[in-house]
Amino acid sequence: MTADFTRRKFIGSSLLVAAAGVPSLASCSSTGSSAASAANEAVKLPTYVKFKGVTPDLPGSNTTGVLDGFLHYPPNPVQALDGAPGDGKAISLMTNIPTAIPPGVGKNKFWQAVNKRVGSELKITMSSNDDYATKFATVVAGGDLPDIINIPPAATDQPALLKAKCHELTDQLAGDNVKKYPFLANLPTEAWKGCVYNGGIYAIPVPRGAARTSLPIYRADLVKAKGLGTPEPKNFEDFLSLCKAMTDKKHNVWAWGAPPLAYVEQMLGLPNQWKEESGKFTNICEIAETKDALSATKRLLDAGVMSPDGFTAGNVVQKQWFNAGTISFVLDSYVAWTQYYRDNTNGPSFAVNMLDIPGYNSGRGIPWAGLAYNNITAFNKNSAHSVDTLLKVSNWMAAPFGTAEYLFRKFGSKGTDYTLVGSDPEYTRLGTVETSIGLQYICDAPMALYLGGHPEVAKLQYKSQTTVIPRAIKDASYGLYSETQSRKQTQLNATLSDLTGQILRGDKPVSAWDDAVKTWRTTGGDAMRNELEKAFAQQH
């Protein structure tokens, strides 16, 4: 998941990607707001055609967004495509990865096998999640773009970039035209809404949706060892007590590696970035309870439940802390839940679960729905490859769970990168190292709840999703165009993020938030609001 530096990523997450508070990849144009909204509203999105080749053990719901769950990989994977999608010529890619950089293609048998299956050599430039946003900005500034471009959510002025540098894909993907690429047609409609710019479709989404919804993931084995069973805090005070119980300063063990402000905000029922009521938009930073969330989170820090190094440690380090047992909680997603098992070095006792959100005083909190996509992928207008070739390669990368293509793309070659335990693939040591080449951030299938050899994990995730996802609220600005948001949101969020850190460290009082919000409004907040309200009015 891509790295971005929005306010909420700073304040509570060891996320591979900040699941909340990311500025929406709103449907955009480099022209005025009204013209942009009208042009984008007229775009026909790709027809959704769900892949029906595999039946889930735990059926999801298109209505609620709960994902399909599988207890085991299907024993006879469907061979869904014939032939190689490439054109025989090298294709350059740029992407992020959540792990250490794997061996290069000359020493990477999986990468070599991918090239053979695709029918084109994939020249992949990779950067870690923490560094990708900076790397992306540098490459864009230099102008030397690859054939296929992973564009992170926080990238600035995307409409102008896409219009100037990337192929428009409307003719190939709008409406039923997408059916030529059946696995792109299998991507959810909600994710495609983030790919409409300048009055056309300019990108392909890397779908996530419910998988990106983030709550406290905890080390269930460590909690159980403390005699705490399966914790279900009923309010903030219960949550504070749980965090204290999981902290042992003498042994350098902490509940948290970063302040979980976003979780406290959801306890208080705060909106997922923007809320809309009767066509009027309000940002989370303007709501009085935001200061209550800051005060409550500072109580957690004052109680000593966070690592003293948490303000400076990046996501990768905090994930290492979690696996090592230095911390017991991370604010992270369902995707990460599975990844923690794959990264586990603690043996079979290692276990993970996820907290629901209580109301701050009682009742239930309000979860924030994960963004419909992780990132978007566009094609360089100056690529020597045809658009059709690049779409076929993307379609291959989007082959769904249960297919032979998915099995290979995620796990590699049998006997080299994985072995089978029953019908479930299990990475070899080599496979763990070699397969992380970032294909899942170029194009991907809708996520499935599955962890080979651990059917209990899929059951727990499914139970959590059926409880959480139907209550989850979306960012009301998603799919709406605001030119100010496109240009200034990252900068404005960074300012609030800095102040958040100062407040939580005790360098400034919570009351300093009021002046910061006034500045936020005058330097772009009010302009964003006005543009979003106009765009919303046009859509409704």
Side-chain angles (χ1 to χ4, degrees):
M1 305 176 181
T2 51
D4 58 271
F5 300 97
T6 62
R7 171 177 171 259
R8 292 188 199 166
K9 177 166 184 256
F10 167 82
I11 55 182
S13 325
S14 291
L15 302 185
L16 294 174
V17 154
V22 176
S24 295
L25 266 183
S27 301
C28 304
S29 170
S30 55
T31 59
S33 298
S34 296
S37 297
N40 292 326
E41 188 65 17
V43 174
K44 191 170 186 178
L45 294 174
T47 301
Y48 175 65
V49 183
K50 183 175 175 62
F51 177 70
K52 296 182 179 179
V54 180
T55 301
D57 300 300
L58 306 168
S61 167
N62 289 331
T63 302
T64 64
V66 172
L67 299 173
D68 288 339
F70 295 84
L71 303 184
H72 300 282
Y73 205 85
N76 299 300
V78 177
Q79 187 71 44
L81 294 172
D82 294 323
D87 58 10
K89 294 179 283 189
I91 299 173
S92 56
L93 316 172
M94 177 180 175
T95 189
N96 59 293
I97 59 171
T99 60
I101 302 296
V105 64
K107 298 181 178 180
N108 191 319
K109 292 182 180 179
F110 171 70
W111 194 339
Q112 294 167 18
V114 169
N115 289 344
K116 185 176 180 180
R117 297 269 187 124
V118 171
S120 286
E121 178 187 0
L122 300 185
K123 294 187 173 182
I124 308 174
T125 300
M126 307 172 210
S127 297
S128 72
N129 287 339
D130 288 340
D131 299 332
Y132 187 69
T134 301
K135 174 71 173 179
F136 175 81
T138 301
V139 171
V140 170
D144 187 19
L145 296 172
D147 296 311
I148 300 179
I149 313 160
N150 164 344
I151 301 178
T156 58
D157 205 10
Q158 293 174 56
L161 168 66
L162 290 162
K163 191 177 181 79
K165 300 293 185 180
C166 301
H167 278 292
E168 182 179 350
L169 305 174
T170 309
D171 290 345
Q172 291 81 12
L173 299 178
D176 288 347
N177 293 344
V178 75
K179 292 180 180 179
K180 181 179 179 181
Y181 313 100
F183 300 144
L184 299 185
N186 183 53
L187 303 183
T189 300
E190 190 72 10
W192 284 106
K193 293 178 182 178
C195 297
V196 178
Y197 306 82
N198 309 304
I201 300 171
Y202 273 82
I204 296 169
V206 175
R208 290 296 184 265
R212 278 276 302 273
T213 298
S214 295
L215 292 170
I217 293 175
Y218 65 90
R219 284 285 301 272
D221 54 328
L222 301 181
V223 171
K224 182 179 179 181
K226 288 280 189 178
L228 298 175
T230 302
E232 296 180 356
K234 304 300 182 185
N235 49 45
F236 176 81
E237 298 300 331
D238 277 0
F239 174 63
L240 175 58
S241 296
L242 173 63
C243 294
K244 289 179 178 178
M246 294 309 298
T247 299
D248 183 355
K249 298 179 185 180
K250 290 183 180 179
H251 294 91
N252 198 33
V253 172
W254 318 90
W256 289 89
L261 177 55
Y263 184 58
V264 178
E265 288 175 324
Q266 292 170 81
M267 286 186 190
L268 286 160
L270 286 160
N272 185 353
Q273 188 69 3
W274 288 95
K275 74 171 183 177
E276 174 273 323
E277 291 180 332
S278 302
K280 300 298 180 183
F281 277 66
T282 306
N283 190 272
I284 181 176
C285 73
E286 304 174 276
I287 298 174
E289 286 80 5
T290 294
K291 291 193 294 183
D292 295 336
L294 286 166
S295 297
T297 305
K298 191 171 185 310
R299 279 188 63 199
L300 288 168
L301 271 61
D302 290 344
V305 303
M306 188 186 97
S307 167
D309 299 320
F311 281 106
T312 56
N315 290 335
V316 172
V317 171
Q318 295 194 37
K319 287 177 180 295
Q320 292 170 349
W321 289 348
F322 183 78
N323 274 314
T326 303
I327 60 175
S328 301
F329 293 90
V330 286
L331 193 61
D332 220 329
S333 68
Y334 291 93
V335 182
W337 183 339
T338 302
Q339 188 63 43
Y340 285 122
Y341 275 91
R342 291 176 175 160
D343 295 341
N344 167 41
T345 58
N346 294 273
S349 64
F350 180 86
V352 164
N353 207 337
M354 182 180 273
L355 293 182
D356 197 347
I357 304 173
Y360 186 81
N361 293 312
S362 62
R364 283 179 154 187
I366 301 178
W368 293 337
L371 200 60
Y373 50 83
N374 181 74
N375 60 281
I376 61 169
T377 295
F379 303 148
N380 189 339
K381 189 183 291 186
N382 296 320
S383 172
H385 303 275
S386 70
V387 171
D388 183 57
T389 293
L390 299 179
L391 284 170
K392 285 179 178 177
V393 171
S394 300
N395 183 67
W396 180 84
M397 293 184 186
F401 185 94
T403 63
E405 290 84 355
Y406 182 100
L407 179 63
F408 169 74
R409 193 175 74 252
K410 298 291 186 179
F411 294 95
S413 300
K414 182 181 176 182
T416 302
D417 300 304
Y418 73 89
T419 57
L420 284 179
V421 180
S423 62
D424 291 319
E426 184 176 285
Y427 285 110
T428 62
R429 185 181 296 273
L430 182 66
T432 300
V433 173
E434 289 192 342
T435 56
S436 182
I437 61 174
L439 299 183
Q440 71 269 36
Y441 304 131
I442 295 298
C443 199
D444 205 0
M447 302 295 292
L449 304 177
Y450 167 78
L451 181 60
H454 291 277
E456 78 283 0
V457 171
K459 290 178 180 178
L460 282 174
Q461 291 177 333
Y462 187 76
K463 179 181 179 182
S464 174
Q465 285 208 350
T466 54
T467 301
V468 169
I469 300 304
R471 294 155 44 209
I473 57 172
K474 298 176 183 177
D475 179 349
S477 73
Y478 178 67
L480 301 176
Y481 167 61
S482 163
E483 186 162 354
T484 304
Q485 179 168 281
S486 177
R487 294 179 183 276
K488 291 189 174 184
Q489 176 96 345
T490 300
Q491 174 188 345
L492 292 173
N493 278 352
T495 300
L496 293 178
S497 174
D498 289 343
L499 176 59
T500 297
Q502 292 170 337
I503 290 172
L504 295 181
R505 288 192 298 268
D507 298 333
K508 288 192 175 180
V510 173
S511 59
W513 192 256
D514 294 328
D515 286 339
V517 171
K518 291 177 183 176
T519 301
W520 174 88
R521 291 187 60 181
T522 58
T523 57
D526 284 343
M528 283 191 285
R529 182 198 336 280
N530 292 338
E531 291 163 1
L532 291 171
E533 288 176 355
K534 288 179 181 178
F536 181 84
Q538 284 199 320
Q539 281 197 5
H540 297 79

